[in-house]
Amino acid sequence: MGELNEKIAACYLEAYGDEPFVRLLNDKALPDTKNVVGTNVIEIAWRLDPRTGRLIVMSAEDNLVKGASGQAVQSMNIICGFPETAGLI
């Protein structure tokens, strides 16, 4: 399972490693709303269940900021050519 877990981590890093609002949690860390409240950040963690072989994905976000309002600002920044993080960090 160790090799598979490393492949899973590599996939997440490839997909989200450069994203400014995605915090990938490795090892024993778990997502917690106290770490994302008032931000446009989402925390993502995963565990591979050795008994079933299922991948369990967990996340935490502040849906008031990361939700529609943060998404609107982030999209406007991209469309207008501003830094993606403008007004959100």
Side-chain angles (χ1 to χ4, degrees), residues 7-52:
K7 287 181 180 181
I8 293 166
C11 287
Y12 272 105
L13 283 171
E14 183 179 337
Y16 300 111
D18 295 330
E19 294 297 325
F21 299 114
V22 178
R23 188 177 303 137
L24 298 174
L25 305 176
N26 244 340
D27 302 320
K28 296 185 186 276
L30 292 174
D32 196 325
T33 52
K34 72 179 179 185
N35 299 327
V36 297
V37 69
T39 73
N40 194 48
V41 173
I42 184 168
E43 289 187 339
I44 302 173
W46 57 93
R47 298 292 182 272
L48 192 57
D49 184 337
R51 186 180 64 82
T52 63

